[in-house]
Amino acid sequence: MTRDRSRGRAGSARDADSFFGAAEDRKVERKERQLCRQVQEAVSEALAGIEDDVLLEVWVADVEPAPDAGRLAVIVQAPRGASPDEVAARLENVAGYLRAEVASAITRKRVPTLTFRVLPPETGGIS
C-alpha cells in the first residue's frame, strides 16, 4: 500500500514560503547578533592592548549592524575627563588596527567596516 504524497500540498507552498522565509530571517538575525558579540569582544581586547591612556579607559558598550553586517557601528563610552570628540579622533587613528584584530578573531570571507559612535562619559555619582 502506497501513500499519495501529493495530498494536502496544494495550499502548502504559499505557507511554506512564508514559514521558511521567517525562519531564514531569524537565522540571519541570530548570525548578525553572534557576529556583533564577537566583534565587541575583539575590539574590547584590542583596546586593552593599546598604549593610549584615553583608549585604555574606553568601554565598548555595544556593536550593532549599520545598516547590515557589512558595516558595524561600535558604540563606546568615553571615560571621565575625555571629550567624545577626542575619543572619536583617537579611535579613527587606530581603526585599521582594530579592524585587523577583528579579522583575526572572526571567521568570515569579508571583514566588516567599523564605524564608531562615542557616548559622553557617565556623570553618575553621589550629589
Side-chain angles (χ1 to χ4, degrees), residues 63-79:
V63 175
E64 56 189 31
D68 57 16
R71 176 184 299 244
L72 299 177
V74 180
I75 303 166
V76 298
Q77 179 85 42

Side-chain angles (χ1 to χ4, degrees), residues 63-119:
V63 175
E64 56 189 31
D68 57 16
R71 176 184 299 244
L72 299 177
V74 180
I75 303 166
V76 298
Q77 179 85 42
R80 288 185 181 168
S83 73
D85 293 333
E86 177 187 4
V87 173
R90 290 181 187 220
L91 285 169
E92 287 302 320
N93 287 338
V94 296
Y97 168 74
L98 294 175
R99 189 166 185 236
E101 290 296 310
V102 167
S104 66
I106 65 172
T107 307
R108 292 198 95 191
K109 186 175 183 177
R110 292 184 180 90
V111 180
T113 303
L114 302 178
T115 60
F116 299 96
R117 283 194 284 175
V118 182
L119 302 175

Side-chain angles (χ1 to χ4, degrees), residues 1-5 7:
M1 190 191 234
T2 61
R3 287 182 116 172
D4 182 12
R5 294 183 182 257
R7 260 188 298 161

